[in-house]
Amino acid sequence: QSLARVRIAEGGYQVHPNDPGNYNSLGELVGTNHGINAQVYESHIGQPPSRKDMASMIWDTAANIYRQKYWNAIQGDQIKNQALADIIFDGRVNHGAGIRLLQEVLGVTVDGIVGPKTLREINSADPARLYNDYKERRRKYYHALVEQNPRLGVFLNGWMNRLARFNDYYPQSAGSSGLSLAGGAFAIIFFLIKFKS
């Protein structure tokens, strides 16, 4: 389910010179495909990818990378609340600081690793409050990135739209655990219907 949401957000192949992730270790602009950037794909195949390599990446390869490098990194199978797993996974995918931002919100040691303590805090937290607090921390992080590097400003609207899709909990009910069927849940249902094989 988490991967379905990421697939909707990431789309297919793109090459944008302002995106640092689109360059391989040789400094060549080769792009990103299915949300897997050039550097991540390079570590997967063991050599600098070309544009052809990036453009021809199949979805099954991307899905395998997502599980190995992102889902397993957040211990997704051990997160009890699906909505939290969704937004934490998306944060880990969309920015390398995703786990660190989560640990800041949780008030645990910020080391970028979801170990036993971080996982315990995730599963014992009020899910709606953690969900919305993490969402807000991500929003601030995006704006900080643009302040530090104005060239990234071209991506800000896209990042905000991506974050806005995470509406599993009503913003005004951060202290409750009531789920909203708006936004993300409908997106998942639509995706599963459209892409069902």
Side-chain angles (χ1 to χ4, degrees):
Q1 180 171 314
S2 295
L3 186 58
R5 296 183 78 154
V6 163
R7 188 175 186 181
I8 291 171
E10 292 291 352
Y13 180 65
Q14 61 90 7
V15 182
H16 197 296
N18 285 26
D19 186 345
N22 285 345
Y23 294 83
N24 63 22
S25 63
L26 301 177
E28 300 168 335
L29 178 62
V30 296
T32 290
N33 201 356
H34 305 299
I36 304 299
N37 71 31
Q39 291 123 38
V40 170
Y41 195 49
E42 181 167 333
S43 70
H44 181 72
I45 64 177
Q47 63 184 30
S50 65
R51 284 201 181 198
K52 182 179 179 181
D53 293 330
M54 294 302 302
S56 61
M57 185 196 311
I58 62 173
W59 170 248
D60 285 351
T61 297
N64 183 47
I65 294 172
Y66 277 126
R67 173 168 285 281
Q68 291 179 18
K69 295 185 178 292
Y70 299 95
W71 182 253
N72 291 344
I74 67 163
Q75 296 200 49
D77 289 338
Q78 306 303 316
I79 296 175
K80 297 177 181 179
N81 183 280
Q82 183 63 52
L84 281 177
D86 291 349
I87 195 169
I88 293 170
F89 178 61
D90 185 80
R92 176 68 182 89
V93 167
N94 198 222
H95 33 75
I99 293 175
R100 292 177 177 274
L101 300 181
L102 174 66
Q103 290 172 325
E104 288 179 16
V105 173
L106 289 170
V108 299
T109 301
V110 179
D111 59 8
I113 300 170
V114 178
K117 185 173 183 180
T118 298
L119 182 62
R120 183 169 60 250
E121 291 298 319
I122 292 171
N123 286 330
S124 63
D126 177 277
R129 185 172 298 279
L130 177 56
Y131 185 98
N132 286 311
D133 287 350
Y134 182 56
K135 180 178 176 180
E136 175 61 14
R137 182 64 187 89
R138 286 182 60 186
R139 186 191 67 79
K140 290 180 179 178
Y141 179 75
Y142 289 130
H143 283 280
L145 283 179
V146 174
E147 288 181 10
Q148 295 167 9
N149 185 354
R151 283 171 55 87
L152 298 177
V154 296
F155 304 115
L156 186 58
N157 284 340
W159 290 336
M160 292 297 100
N161 289 336
R162 180 185 188 125
L163 203 54
R165 295 190 184 102
F166 285 92
N167 286 316
D168 297 82
Y169 292 102
Y170 289 109
Q172 68 270 25
S173 303
S176 71
S177 59
L179 281 171
S180 164
L181 291 180
F186 283 141
I188 294 168
I189 293 169
F190 172 77
F191 175 86
L192 293 175
I193 293 172
K194 184 176 181 181
F195 292 96
K196 185 177 180 181
S197 56

